[in-house]
Amino acid sequence: MKIPELSKRLMSAVGFVRGGILADVGTDHAYLPVYLYKLGRIRGAVAADINEGPLARARANIAAYGAVEGIDTVLSDGLAKLEGYRPDDIVIFGMGGELIIHILDAAKWTRSERIRLILQPMTKQEEVRSYLLENGFFIVGEALSEDDGKVYQTICAEYRPEEKAEPYTRVELLLGRENIAKGGELFARLLAHRIEVFSVAAEGRRKAGRPDAEIEALVDQLTALKG
């Protein structure tokens, strides 16, 4: 059976997909829905993108791998045209955290207990986690992956407004509560990068005569995790 080879970054979504109908937002080449459909992991999918170019590539791949009968393509700004597909799992990878928040906030129908969100914010992971927790979502799983020397965070969440998580610390919002608990080599690399970024910021503030106690404390908390 001919199936596409997924990058480690995309593979991090696979374990969170439950089946049913998948919505892949910002699909680009549609490799993830094709992979899942050909392996029988989903009943079908809708691959969406805001630009026609990526959708054309997606259609070509869907046809090349013989998945036309199971995967639709839609020109859509985020989730704007996907509600009618009633997706069970929604994947949003390869976007900045602010854009992911904007997409979710514009699609209030995703606040449904039958829908699972599988997100990989390229930036502002702290803000994405905060948004989810403040809007009735519960983070049910997390994973780290590496691609081209960079460590990516995947966040899996479900709408569970009655189920309240213990309050997250700033460090947990940055790195992920489950990622911290699991540790490992990728986590060590992610942690080292965060320490470096915030240490540079703290040093810059000190040199400018404007020390920031909050950033200094965060560097200390991150450094403590190295042990």
Side-chain angles (χ1 to χ4, degrees), residues 19 34 156 171 178 196 203 223:
V34 169
C156 181
V171 170
E178 186 174 325
E196 180 182 7
E203 179 67 16
T223 303

Side-chain angles (χ1 to χ4, degrees), residues 137-221:
F137 292 93
F138 194 90
I139 297 174
V140 299
E142 294 182 303
L144 297 176
S145 58
E146 182 270 335
D147 219 356
D148 290 331
K150 183 176 179 180
V151 178
Y152 296 90
Q153 300 188 53
T154 299
I155 303 165
C156 181
E158 296 175 0
Y159 187 64
R160 300 182 185 178
E162 305 303 320
E163 188 172 350
K164 302 298 182 183
E166 287 293 319
Y168 274 53
T169 66
R170 175 86 188 276
V171 170
E172 288 174 329
L173 290 173
L174 278 168
L175 303 175
R177 180 174 286 175
E178 186 174 325
N179 294 330
I180 294 171
K182 290 189 294 189
E185 189 267 335
L186 288 182
F187 176 74
R189 287 171 51 187
L190 177 65
L191 177 61
H193 175 69
R194 291 295 195 185
I195 291 172
E196 180 182 7
V197 168
F198 287 106
S199 295
V200 169
E203 179 67 16
R205 294 292 186 109
R206 287 195 297 270
K207 288 182 177 179
R210 295 182 289 108
D212 189 312
E214 185 176 345
I215 295 179
E216 300 275 4
L218 181 58
V219 172
D220 290 342
Q221 292 160 15

